[in-house]
Amino acid sequence: MVVLSQPLVENFSHIKTCKHNTSTDHVYTGNIIPVIDLLDPEANTLIIKACQEFGFFKVVNHGVPIETITKLESETVKFFNLSQIEKDKAGPANPFGYGNKRIGSNGDVDWVEYLLFTTNPELTHQKSITIPGNALHFWALVNEYINAVRNMGCMVLEKIPEGLRIEPKNVLSRMLRDEKSDSCFRLNHYPPCPELLQALSGRNLIGFGEHTDPQVISVARSNNTSGLQISLKDGTWLSVPPDPFSFFINVGDSLQVMSNGRFRSVRHRVLADSLKTRLSMIYFGGPPLSEKIAPLSCLMEEPGEELLYNEFTWSEYKKSAYKTRLGDNRLSLFEKGKKNPAQ
Ligand SMILES: C=C1C[C@]23C[C@@]1(O)CC[C@H]2[C@@]12CC[C@H](O)[C@@](C)(C(=O)O1)[C@H]2[C@@H]3C(=O)O
Ligand SMILES: O=C(O)CCC(=O)C(=O)O
Ligand SMILES: [Fe+2]
């Protein structure tokens, strides 16, 4: 048995932990996550239901070629297996590039290292990210992957107006397809940490702290290691069984606003594993910076219902969001009755 000296535990004291199996941090384990088969003619109504109930669902028969996924996965594994000195050449993440434990710039520290990129061609600072080795090959695989998951994400978004019988069909997907779409892409690597987990008796180490994603939707895929949890309406955490052959969709803050709260921006987090490495790839589909984010009456449950949010642009929301800590409720600043912090 490995016996840890106290100083090692103290070295990690800035990394978040959470209690498990207590009444205040209960984890539900039933298999209730909606599974949407994109080839199912009922997919549109099932997606709407899942966005309302969970803000989260799994997609099968998604049409993304397995080779597109595995090629990028193996290059990503190669990157994270490089020495710390080599990986640091692609950093620091401010916000794009290689980051290690620090998430964002407001003091969040978790058990994860990552590569974060923008897909917005107007943001040029990404050009300075140095990927060691065959960088051109790496960027080609990233682009192939992003194109495939963006298309699939758009197909998912187009099912919403279809299910609600509204036009145009691209009312949501056009934001992701716009050449100025301000989307981003993240490769997360969660190393196992057996000694530390043993030392934290009765607690879990947080891999990625709880938060909501600010964009419209996020399209996530992970290897076969568990850890992702979503928060249900009653605040219970639900562990998501991993499935490397499927994708998981999160409703983001912007879609919650556009639906006037009908669709739920899902709170989620990742717990570190004591033995297995988790690798996740997430495309965050966002609008162009100038896009107005406001409730759309066609997406509301009751047309003409009271508006819950002030109007803002994606650029204003992003600016405000990047001043917040990971776990903050970023949307509360934009609720009706509050002064728009961007003004
Ligand atoms: C603490 C932060 C990290 C984050 C920017 C922020 O200030 C608040 C939102 C965070 C988040 C969560 C979802 C995505 O992983 C992310 C890229 C995003 O768009 O918003 C991260 C930001 C980040 O890691 O820079
Ligand atoms: O690693 C994961 O599966 C989720 C990470 C996440 O929520 C994020 O990067 O925003
Ligand atoms: Fe997230």
Side-chain angles (χ1 to χ4, degrees):
M1 187 180 119
V2 183
V3 179
L4 267 189
S5 59
Q6 198 56 27
L8 177 55
V9 179
E10 277 163 12
N11 282 344
F12 289 93
S13 59
H14 49 290
I15 297 184
K16 289 174 224 135
T17 62
C18 68
K19 290 193 204 118
H20 56 90
N21 298 334
T22 68
S23 55
T24 51
D25 202 10
H26 188 71
V27 176
Y28 183 83
T29 48
N31 199 1
I32 54 169
I33 293 164
V35 180
I36 311 291
D37 177 347
L38 279 192
L39 300 177
D40 177 354
E42 301 289 304
N44 48 21
T45 47
L46 296 173
I47 289 175
I48 293 167
K49 206 164 159 242
C51 289
Q52 293 179 172
E53 284 303 304
F54 297 89
F56 184 85
F57 54 94
K58 169 163 145 173
V59 175
V60 299
N61 278 323
H62 45 71
V64 177
I66 186 73
E67 303 76 45
T68 304
I69 302 171
T70 50
K71 279 187 299 180
L72 179 60
E73 183 173 35
S74 65
E75 280 308 299
T76 305
V77 168
K78 276 191 213 158
F79 174 84
F80 287 117
N81 281 340
L82 290 172
S83 68
Q84 194 60 52
I85 291 174
E86 286 296 303
K87 288 186 281 191
D88 284 339
K89 289 182 182 163
N94 67 6
F96 305 117
Y98 170 75
N100 187 8
K101 298 192 188 73
R102 284 174 206 286
I103 301 176
S105 51
N106 305 312
D108 287 284
V109 182
D110 288 319
W111 190 252
V112 64
E113 57 176 342
Y114 59 89
L115 279 166
L116 182 57
F117 309 122
T118 176
T119 69
N120 185 341
E122 291 186 331
L123 302 179
T124 48
H125 30 310
Q126 176 153 291
K127 297 220 171 77
S128 58
I129 300 175
T130 315
I131 301 291
N134 191 343
L136 281 181
H137 181 59
F138 182 80
W139 288 120
L141 296 182
V142 166
N143 282 329
E144 176 184 327
Y145 183 90
I146 291 179
N147 281 331
V149 295
R150 183 200 291 118
N151 269 329
M152 194 266 286
C154 287
M155 279 166 59
V156 167
L157 285 176
E158 282 159 13
K159 303 249 178 237
I160 295 176
E162 199 180 286
L164 296 173
R165 296 184 212 299
I166 55 172
E167 291 284 352
K169 199 177 124 187
N170 69 351
V171 61
L172 297 168
S173 62
R174 66 173 180 78
M175 294 184 279
L176 278 58
R177 290 200 203 276
D178 194 304
E179 58 174 22
K180 290 186 177 164
S181 157
D182 182 50
S183 299
C184 52
F185 181 60
R186 176 166 210 139
L187 296 163
N188 288 323
H189 178 243
Y190 305 87
C193 188
E195 303 92 339
L196 184 62
L197 286 177
Q198 209 167 25
L200 296 168
S201 59
R203 299 187 76 83
N204 278 115
L205 186 69
I206 301 283
F208 205 114
E210 63 176 278
H211 66 283
T212 60
D213 295 344
Q215 293 82 359
V216 179
I217 55 163
S218 313
V219 181
R221 183 265 172 195
S222 79
N223 68 353
N224 206 15
T225 302
S226 60
L228 177 64
Q229 297 188 325
I230 60 165
S231 172
L232 301 177
K233 277 183 177 166
D234 64 0
T236 309
W237 287 106
L238 174 70
S239 295
V240 178
D243 179 351
F245 303 105
S246 304
F247 286 90
F248 292 92
I249 308 280
N250 290 11
V251 168
D253 297 345
S254 301
L255 187 50
Q256 175 167 319
V257 173
M258 291 176 129
S259 63
N260 204 30
R262 175 182 192 168
F263 301 150
R264 222 180 139 239
S265 178
V266 64
R267 242 180 139 67
H268 54 287
R269 68 182 182 185
V270 177
L271 305 184
D273 194 283
S274 55
L275 298 171
K276 289 176 75 190
T277 297
R278 177 178 168 88
L279 196 80
S280 62
M281 311 169 165
I282 303 135
Y283 163 75
F284 302 92
L289 287 169
S290 58
E291 184 79 33
K292 200 173 81 183
I293 311 293
L296 297 176
S297 56
C298 60
L299 294 182
M300 291 176 194
E301 209 143 21
E302 301 289 335
E305 68 194 20
E306 192 190 330
L307 302 187
L308 299 181
Y309 304 96
N310 294 319
E311 201 176 288
F312 51 85
T313 62
W314 169 242
S315 165
E316 285 171 333
Y317 189 57
K318 236 182 95 169
K319 211 165 134 202
S320 151
Y322 274 73
K323 288 183 194 149
T324 60
R325 295 288 299 259
L326 196 54
D328 289 348
N329 179 350
R330 285 172 271 286
L331 268 185
S332 67
L333 297 168
F334 293 84
E335 282 165 7
K336 273 265 180 238
K338 306 253 171 75
K339 195 177 173 311
N340 182 342
Q343 283 162 2

